[in-house]
Amino acid sequence: MNEDIYFAIIGDIISSKKITDRNKIQKELKDVMAGINRQYADEIASDFVITLGDEFQGLLKSATLLLEILDRIKFELEPIEIRFGIGIGRIETEINRKSSVGADGPAYWCARRAINIIHSNNDYNISKVAVEIENEKFADVVNLINESLHVCDYMEKHWRKTQKTLIKESVLRFGHDTKIPQKELAVLLNTSAPALNLRIQSSGYYNYLRTKKSICDVLQKIGNE
C-alpha cells in the first residue's frame, strides 16, 4: 500500500451525449492528453488517459501546476466544456506511470465525489471545478477553496470574447505565469501593447491567476501534512 498523498483528477465532458461527431472529439481528447503527459511529465504520477467515452483521469504528485494543467486542457478542448473533480488522498493500488486506469483509493473516491458536487450544487450553472479531500480536518479549508474556484468560474463566464481570446492564448503559451510578455502577446493577437494591457486589467486576469496560484499553494500544503 502506498501511503503518499496524491492529487487525482477526473475530467468529464459536459453534455457529451449531444455531441454528434464523437470519434472526432475522442481523437482530440487523446491528443490533448498525450500533450499534457509530455509537457507536465515531472508533475505526473500516472498519465492522463481516457477511461470512458466522455471521461478521463490522471494522477499528479503535487498540486504546484494542477490548475494550470486543468486550464490548459479546458482551453485546448474548446468549445467542448469540461467539469473537473480533484481528489486529495492516498492511492491503495500499484501506480502505473503509463496509465491511471485501474488505480484506486481515497484520492480517486474524493475526485468522484467532487464531480458529483458540481452536478448537485452548481451555482449559476457555471461551476466547473471542485475539490474533495480524504482528511476531514481540512474540510473548512476545502470549502473555502471551492468557493474561490466558483468565483474564478464566475469571472471566466463573464469575460468578453476579446478577453477570453487573450487569456486562452496566454495560458496556452505561458501557463499561469503572471510575468506575461505583453509585447509578444500583442503581436500574436494583432493589437497594441496598451490595448492588450487594458484588456488584461479589465478582465481581472492577474487576480484570477493569483487566486489559482494561492489555491495550488494551499492544496500542496494540505498534501504535505
Side-chain angles (χ1 to χ4, degrees), residues 91-132:
I91 295 296
E92 296 183 340
T93 56
E94 184 177 352
I95 294 175
N96 179 352
R97 178 63 176 79
K98 293 298 183 182
S99 174
S100 58
V101 172
D104 198 17
Y108 276 112
W109 307 339
C110 288
R112 178 60 63 189
R113 287 205 305 270
I115 286 280
N116 292 336
I117 286 171
I118 299 173
H119 278 291
S120 61
N121 186 27
N122 190 344
D123 293 340
Y124 308 107
N125 199 34
I126 58 174
S127 295
K128 300 292 195 304
V129 186
V131 177
E132 277 288 287

Side-chain angles (χ1 to χ4, degrees), residues 139-199:
D140 290 341
V141 176
V142 169
N143 286 339
L144 180 58
I145 286 171
N146 281 329
E147 290 302 326
S148 299
L149 289 169
H150 295 336
V151 171
C152 288
D153 287 335
Y154 185 84
M155 288 177 63
E156 182 177 340
K157 183 69 174 180
H158 290 83
W159 285 333
R160 297 189 300 273
K161 184 177 179 180
T162 53
Q163 293 171 331
K164 183 73 172 288
T165 299
L166 154 68
I167 291 161
K168 176 179 179 177
E169 191 69 31
S170 178
V171 169
L172 292 181
R173 289 182 177 273
F174 312 115
H176 277 183
D177 190 352
T178 56
K179 296 178 180 178
I180 299 169
Q182 292 193 22
K183 289 184 179 179
E184 179 182 342
L185 198 54
V187 171
L188 290 169
L189 295 173
N190 194 28
T191 189
S192 67
L196 181 82
N197 184 60
L198 182 61
R199 201 178 300 173

Side-chain angles (χ1 to χ4, degrees), residues 4 13 27 40 44 113 120:
D4 291 338
I13 296 176
K27 183 181 183 304
Y40 296 94
I44 293 174
R113 287 205 305 270
S120 61

